[in-house]
Amino acid sequence: DGGITQSPKYLFRKEGQNVTLSCEQNLNHDAMYWYRQDPGQGLRLIYYSQIVNDFQKGDIAEGYSVSREKKESFPLTVTSAQKNPTAFYLCASNMVSGANVLTFGAGSRLTVL
Amino acid sequence: GNSVTQMEGPVTLSEEAFLTINCTYTATGYPSLFWYVQYPGEGLQLLLKATKADDKGSNKGFEATYRKETTSFHLEKGSVQVSDSAVYFCALNPGSARQLTFGSGTQLTVLP
């Protein structure tokens, strides 16, 4: 079945460590996105990419980095510069044209100890 | 800029009650509007959408009508079930392949 796979589902990290969250899609979607979700809040866009080897900052990109070397993959690195990284991270994808319906992965929950 | 304002939660209802979750938006042009649902511990799933004024999106007993005159897209269901307990997000796409703007989400709990 087509979809988005995020891993790991749960991740614990010590302060000062970088961590990379994986996102893979087999939907042949052009665009991929990373969102952050905090309790009681909506989704905030971190980074997005509409084409391989190109990506743009979203609303809260500081302390994060991404790459888009393959169409199917859009990993997110949470660096030690991110001051408050404990959150639920959601990856999504869609086709650039059309009604722009997003397909989401199941999410990765990062906890900094 | 674009924005979405949702009714604040949490909302608690008894099974078979009528549900309304209000959503209003601010956008230039003619955005597409969406409702997404998030079950505990999961990602978001598209619930329904409407792409132009007066369109009604519907799915699983939920409905929402795109009202341009009131810039609203309220979610309704005539008889909720315990399994509808989730967080509901209203969102808009302003068009031209631009990113979705999400509301803050409304937590719904349905009691048996």
Side-chain angles (χ1 to χ4, degrees):
Chain A
D1 288 339
I4 298 179
T5 301
Q6 288 188 240
S7 62
K9 189 164 179 65
Y10 299 97
L11 185 62
F12 297 88
R13 187 194 92 176
K14 292 182 180 179
E15 282 192 21
Q17 290 180 335
N18 293 353
V19 62
T20 297
L21 307 180
S22 170
C23 177
E24 303 277 334
Q25 55 101 357
N26 61 3
L27 300 164
N28 199 33
H29 282 170
D30 301 312
M32 298 186 73
Y33 307 79
W34 275 105
Y35 289 92
R36 171 179 171 140
Q37 185 179 20
D38 293 287
Q41 298 189 31
L43 278 65
R44 292 184 289 171
L45 183 63
I46 304 172
Y47 269 98
Y48 65 99
S49 167
Q50 295 187 319
I51 194 170
V52 174
N53 291 325
D54 188 42
F55 47 83
Q56 286 77 40
K57 293 182 179 180
D59 301 319
I60 56 164
E62 185 175 351
Y64 300 97
S65 66
V66 293
S67 62
R68 186 90 186 275
E69 297 176 1
K70 299 186 299 182
K71 186 176 184 178
E72 302 80 16
S73 179
F74 192 43
L76 173 74
T77 296
V78 185
T79 75
S80 56
Q82 168 48 234
K83 291 184 171 53
N84 185 20
T86 294
F88 190 52
Y89 291 89
L90 288 161
C91 180
S93 70
N94 65 359
M95 297 301 291
V96 173
S97 59
N100 214 2
V101 174
L102 284 173
T103 300
F104 282 84
S108 293
R109 184 167 299 281
L110 172 63
T111 302
V112 174
L113 304 173
Chain B
N2 302 313
S3 67
V4 176
T5 302
Q6 272 184 248
M7 156 182 181
E8 286 193 19
V11 174
T12 303
L13 297 172
S14 297
E15 205 165 23
E16 299 184 2
F18 184 85
L19 168 71
T20 300
I21 300 178
N22 290 339
C23 171
T24 57
Y25 67 90
T26 302
T28 55
Y30 303 96
S32 296
L33 301 173
F34 306 85
W35 277 101
Y36 282 84
V37 58
Q38 183 180 32
Y39 298 103
E42 298 183 9
L44 279 69
Q45 304 172 24
L46 179 68
L47 181 59
L48 53 84
K49 65 179 172 69
T51 57
K52 62 182 187 297
D54 300 325
D55 269 2
K56 177 185 284 188
S58 61
N59 186 25
K60 300 181 181 179
F62 291 90
E63 292 183 341
T65 301
Y66 188 160
R67 302 281 188 205
K68 189 162 172 36
E69 63 275 14
T70 55
T71 61
S72 65
F73 193 54
H74 305 321
L75 183 68
E76 296 181 337
K77 186 174 185 181
S79 176
V80 293
Q81 306 300 311
V82 172
S83 57
D84 293 327
S85 297
V87 181
Y88 292 82
F89 291 91
C90 186
L92 72 83
N93 168 26
S96 302
R98 290 161 65 184
Q99 295 68 47
L100 270 68
T101 298
F102 286 88
S104 57
T106 301
Q107 171 78 56
L108 170 66
T109 301
V110 180
L111 303 176

